[in-house]
Amino acid sequence: MSTNNEKRKTYYESIIKQGYSRRDFMKFSTYMAAFMGLESSMVGQIAQSLENTPRMPVIWEHYQECTCCSESFIRSDHPIVADIILDRISLDYTLTLMAASGHQAEAAKQETMKKYKGEYILCVEGSIPLGDDGNYCCIAGKTAKESFLEAAEGAKAIIAWGSCASNGCVQAAKPNPTEATPIHKIVKNKPIIRVPGCPPIGEVMAGVIVHVVAFGRLPELDRLGRPKAFYAKRVHDSCYRRPYYDAGLFAETFDDKNAKDGYCLYKLGCKGPMTYNSCGTIKWNNGVSYPIQSGHGCIGCSEANFWDNGPFYERATKVPGLTEEGLADDIGKVAAGVLAGGLAVHAVAANISKRKELMSRINRGKSNEKNIDS
Amino acid sequence: METRNFKRVMVWELPVRIFHWINVLAIIVLTVTGFLIANPPALLSSAEATNLHTFGIIRFIHFTAAYIFFFVMILRVYWAFNGNQFASWRAFWPFSKKNWNNFWHVLKIDIFLLNEEKRNVKNISIGHNSVATLSYLVMFFIALIQIATGFALYADMSGWWLPKLFSWVIPIFGGDFMVRTIHHISMWLFIFFSMVHIYLVFYHDYIEGRGEVSSMFGGFKFVSETRLKKAAKFHDKEIEEK
């Protein structure tokens, strides 16, 4: 909007203009370095980048989603994140927080896309429905797909916020009536950072975006396109209840003594052992707690298809393709029983069918026994 | 009624037998510990977590057995290129007319229990029969799946390059969930295979009477004298008589 016509301020200028002190700014830089897992010598580099880099234009699109990613982001624990990064950074276009609306807002978006072609960052919150010509999600007369492809065209990089944009999340769960599709399946020719989670941790989102603006390049990504700094470890491997797991001490129900004593929630269906996220280290709500610390197992919200990966409160292996009663061990036990029965029947049938052969051999063997010489 | 003369033939060489029995042990250990890891029993202990490492030990045994399973398989693959005709990869090659003739024969006679009018001794396989080789080939690929999925799940906990070689498996399936599911379901295939395998070994020993069961201990099977070359018969006889 208005900022588009001014000379772009640096992040530092914006921060100071908002009434923060240099001390606040340095604290913020230090926080960010810590979240990104950088060493302390990098703090200066972050500060310097933010001082000298002009504000990066950002378009933040909302498609099929619940806005929990934005909610999480504005609650990340340093106020500068919300005030400056979100406010300044995404001022260009974000349905939830921008002041403008209607044609005015769309015009601002078009202007940013034109003026900063190849420079702006496209943040996407939500999946894109492809079913029925994409009519399940339309904004300003365009389908989500049209709008996304248009915005992606001139983007420098795309950030997929949350499980919707990264994996499809709940609306992509079976039977996926709207054909909700994560964005990496729609656009292939742009660098995409996937930041899964329902929602992702606010500090993780801030860390990713600060990395992009401070260093001018994408953070190091793993094979699934997630930033390694935040998604390299399983929740399980950084869980404070891990010693109970290694000891073999498990809560059996949510109200037993073991649960009260803080034992591992593995048997209550905790999905921490399969889920890559930073919940165990960065935690939630300004580092207060995270699901497991609050006595509830991880539901694996940052993993693909987490709604279809079996029950949340049971430790069971679901057979893919079977929707009900499809637990591998139940099927396995029945199949093993049937197989054992089949083998027993075969053994009996073999004795009947091959009786001549068997009897002749037995008789030969017996006659040989009679002729033993020494 | 004439008793057939049999000769003792070294069918399973020592490396094959070592592979077989270590593999048996590894599969049993992996299956038992695998079930325990998937669904751990309640531990009746009032000790503090600091003083216990029960589940860690179970997992350690599982991972150790996995390494043994993996290395012994490498030994077997090596021996497929250096062993005798029964251990050779050629014995497992499924694309030959001879193999399929034998396959249908075994299916008819041993699986569907039909009887032949005139018995041909050459239809009885000295080493593996064709149904068995096919099942071992299938198990070999399932073992590869187990190794790939198992090490892929293990890779993030390990600092060694070997498990990390398999870390590409996770992204193919989108995450740990599916990889773990495949690992768990494939284990059941090992159980089914073992049941049928053990039964059929007993069956062949019982129906054919050539020492099928004991062959995996001593390596010898008894082969009808008529199937050996003449010269070998005499040579063997001298030794036998001594």
Side-chain angles (χ1 to χ4, degrees):
Chain A
M1 284 166 279
S2 60
T3 47
N4 285 345
N5 303 322
E6 296 161 11
K7 184 183 160 288
R8 282 190 292 160
K9 288 198 183 78
T10 66
Y11 288 99
Y12 180 67
E13 282 166 349
S14 305
I15 288 166
I16 296 300
K17 202 182 165 197
Q18 284 278 316
Y20 289 100
S21 65
R22 166 122 191 130
R23 187 181 171 81
D24 292 328
F25 170 71
M26 287 313 293
K27 273 163 81 177
F28 167 71
S29 301
T30 314
Y31 266 115
M32 284 301 132
F35 287 142
M36 283 184 258
L38 303 174
E39 53 181 294
S40 55
S41 61
M42 297 294 277
V43 175
Q45 204 176 327
I46 292 178
Q48 200 184 17
S49 293
L50 293 175
E51 275 174 41
N52 298 327
T53 321
R55 194 185 69 80
M56 191 175 275
V58 171
I59 294 173
W60 186 309
E61 292 280 16
H62 298 256
Y63 300 124
Q64 281 184 310
E65 46 94 1
C66 70
T67 318
C68 73
C69 303
S70 294
E71 291 285 346
S72 174
F73 192 35
I74 58 177
R75 276 159 186 72
S76 73
D77 73 359
H78 201 283
I80 287 183
V81 173
D83 274 4
I84 300 303
I85 302 298
L86 189 72
D87 209 28
R88 290 281 147 191
I89 221 175
S90 59
L91 214 61
D92 293 309
Y93 185 83
T94 173
L95 291 173
T96 314
L97 295 164
M98 63 189 171
S101 62
H103 293 295
Q104 198 190 358
E106 294 303 318
K109 181 178 144 189
Q110 292 297 334
E111 200 189 318
T112 306
M113 276 163 38
K114 217 163 65 196
K115 195 169 169 190
Y116 300 112
K117 198 169 176 16
E119 280 177 63
Y120 63 89
I121 301 290
L122 173 63
C123 296
V124 179
E125 199 178 330
S127 61
I128 293 167
L130 298 182
D132 290 337
D133 300 326
N135 281 328
Y136 292 111
C137 178
C138 292
I139 299 159
K142 284 177 193 158
T143 65
K145 191 188 173 190
E146 282 168 356
S147 151
F148 171 63
L149 289 177
E150 191 188 9
E153 177 69 32
K156 184 182 173 191
I158 304 173
I159 303 178
W161 286 141
S163 287
C164 297
S166 302
N167 299 320
C169 205
V170 64
Q171 61 274 26
K174 279 180 193 119
N176 191 1
T178 64
E179 279 179 56
T181 310
I183 61 166
H184 66 274
K185 292 199 177 148
I186 295 172
V187 163
K188 305 267 183 196
N189 57 351
K190 295 279 172 186
I192 296 178
I193 310 175
R194 291 163 79 190
V195 189
C198 191
I201 302 169
E203 284 71 35
V204 168
M205 299 174 76
V208 170
I209 211 148
V210 169
H211 192 287
V212 174
V213 299
F215 298 112
R217 56 186 144 84
L218 305 189
E220 199 187 347
L221 304 179
D222 67 7
R223 286 170 201 261
L224 285 168
R226 304 173 298 193
K228 272 189 178 171
F230 306 108
Y231 293 93
K233 278 207 153 48
R234 296 179 177 100
V235 172
H236 186 58
D237 292 332
S238 51
C239 182
Y240 80 103
R241 296 198 188 199
R242 180 60 188 262
Y244 291 103
Y245 172 85
D246 285 331
L249 298 171
F250 301 104
E252 301 289 329
T253 59
F254 278 111
D255 54 358
D256 66 4
K257 188 175 180 302
N258 292 358
K260 284 182 187 119
D261 287 347
Y263 284 10
C264 177
L265 300 167
Y266 185 72
K267 288 176 82 173
L268 294 172
C270 179
K271 302 292 183 285
M274 284 94 80
T275 304
Y276 289 80
N277 212 332
S278 306
C279 300
T281 45
I282 294 178
K283 300 188 183 176
W284 289 82
N285 302 324
N286 304 352
V288 170
S289 181
Y290 71 111
I292 296 168
Q293 194 172 341
S294 307
H296 188 288
C298 169
I299 60 169
C301 76
S302 57
E303 288 294 311
N305 307 320
F306 82 97
W307 294 97
D308 294 318
N309 278 332
F312 284 161
Y313 300 107
E314 259 175 72
R315 181 123 208 104
T317 306
K318 208 171 148 282
V319 179
L322 296 176
T323 44
E324 280 168 70
E325 309 291 327
L327 302 182
D329 285 346
D330 298 338
I331 294 173
K333 281 173 203 161
V334 172
V338 170
L339 190 59
L343 294 177
V345 169
H346 190 275
V348 173
N351 275 293
I352 296 167
S353 176
K354 310 272 183 191
R355 62 191 181 279
K356 275 188 194 161
E357 193 181 337
L358 285 165
M359 282 318 291
S360 96
R361 187 176 305 120
I362 289 166
N363 288 336
R364 270 179 282 150
K366 279 182 177 168
S367 79
N368 284 345
E369 184 255 351
K370 298 230 160 57
N371 293 327
I372 288 172
D373 191 20
S374 57
Chain B
M1 214 187 294
E2 197 198 338
T3 311
R4 200 180 281 147
N5 281 326
F6 287 98
K7 286 291 175 199
R8 208 181 270 135
V9 174
M10 173 56 85
V11 176
W12 314 128
E13 296 159 295
L14 188 62
V16 174
R17 282 174 275 148
I18 289 176
F19 159 75
H20 180 267
W21 290 114
I22 293 182
N23 205 26
V24 169
L25 247 133
I27 289 173
I28 291 170
V29 170
L30 284 166
T31 307
V32 171
T33 53
F35 270 124
L36 289 174
I37 291 168
N39 190 14
L43 202 62
L44 297 172
S45 168
S46 56
E48 281 294 321
T50 326
N51 303 321
L52 281 172
H53 197 57
T54 322
F55 208 53
I57 292 168
I58 290 173
R59 278 158 45 85
F60 176 76
I61 295 169
H62 189 80
F63 301 143
T64 311
Y67 275 118
I68 292 169
F69 178 79
F70 178 60
F71 286 121
V72 89
M73 201 161 120
I74 290 176
L75 168 83
R76 184 62 185 85
V77 171
Y78 168 79
W79 204 247
F81 295 93
N82 291 275
N84 67 14
Q85 55 174 309
F86 305 112
S88 167
W89 61 271
R90 285 186 188 86
F92 294 86
W93 188 250
F95 308 110
S96 73
K97 190 140 192 286
K98 201 180 148 203
N99 174 77
W100 287 107
N101 286 340
N102 185 250
F103 184 86
W104 296 120
H105 178 266
V106 174
L107 218 56
K108 265 196 310 211
I109 303 306
D110 295 315
I111 308 299
F112 294 111
L113 298 169
L114 303 171
N115 287 301
E116 290 167 297
E117 300 218 338
K118 195 173 182 308
R119 214 167 293 145
N120 181 0
V121 75
K122 286 193 174 165
N123 277 331
I124 295 178
S125 305
I126 297 173
H128 302 299
N129 68 50
S130 298
V131 174
T133 53
L134 193 71
S135 75
Y136 302 153
L137 219 53
V138 171
M139 288 321 289
F140 177 75
F141 284 109
I142 294 171
L144 288 183
I145 290 171
Q146 288 298 63
I147 287 166
T149 52
F151 277 129
L153 290 169
Y154 178 74
D156 272 325
M157 293 179 273
S158 169
W160 198 26
W161 56 266
L162 181 73
K164 294 220 184 286
L165 284 181
F166 296 92
S167 53
W168 51 270
V169 174
I170 304 273
I172 289 181
F173 298 103
D176 281 10
F177 279 92
M178 191 44 106
V179 176
R180 196 188 147 270
T181 302
I182 293 168
H183 197 68
H184 192 103
I185 291 172
S186 304
M187 176 211 58
W188 274 104
L189 300 179
F190 274 91
I191 294 173
F192 300 151
F193 167 81
S194 305
M195 289 170 69
V196 176
H197 174 73
I198 293 167
Y199 168 74
L200 283 178
V201 168
F202 287 164
Y203 164 89
H204 279 282
D205 193 303
Y206 179 64
I207 296 288
E208 289 168 7
R210 303 187 300 127
E212 185 90 17
V213 173
S214 67
S215 71
M216 207 28 93
F217 294 95
F220 301 108
K221 268 197 199 178
F222 297 100
V223 176
S224 172
E225 196 178 51
T226 55
R227 300 188 73 174
L228 300 180
K229 289 174 191 154
K230 280 253 159 53
K233 276 185 217 168
F234 290 115
H235 173 70
D236 220 24
K237 208 169 181 180
E238 281 169 32
I239 298 166
E240 290 287 306
E241 277 167 359
K242 274 176 193 171

